[in-house]
Amino acid sequence: MPTDALGRFLAALDPHHREAVADRPAEEQERLAAAWERELESDDELDTLDELSPRAAEAEAARRVMARDV
């Protein structure tokens, strides 16, 4: 399991988005990973979900970041 933010973000994405992000420049990937970390840290709803299922919380945060990016 990846331990860096970008690796964790890519792991949280669905396969379609993972491929799309992997095709982007490195700085864009890092920007998205940073946005994903901010989403995880700032949303109280995700805190509750994280207690029940950390992977589900990470996937939801990734979905939200990608929805805003499109």
Side-chain angles (χ1 to χ4, degrees):
M1 180 165 195
T3 57
D4 67 309
L6 179 56
R8 290 177 41 235
F9 172 60
L10 290 172
L13 289 168
D14 64 71
H16 171 75
H17 284 116
R18 186 177 307 123
E19 186 176 306
V21 170
D23 289 341
R24 295 183 183 196
E27 48 205 33
E28 180 72 10
Q29 292 179 24
E30 293 293 335
R31 182 188 67 77
L32 290 168
W36 173 75
E37 283 191 313
R38 285 190 302 276
E39 185 74 24
L40 282 171
E41 292 171 0
S42 67
D43 192 302
D44 293 337
E45 217 176 84
L46 290 176
D47 283 343
T48 302
L49 181 58
D50 187 52
E51 291 178 18
L52 299 172
S53 174
R55 287 187 184 203
E58 290 181 349
E60 176 59 19
R63 186 195 64 74
R64 291 177 186 183
V65 166
M66 294 309 295
R68 284 194 303 265
D69 188 61
V70 174

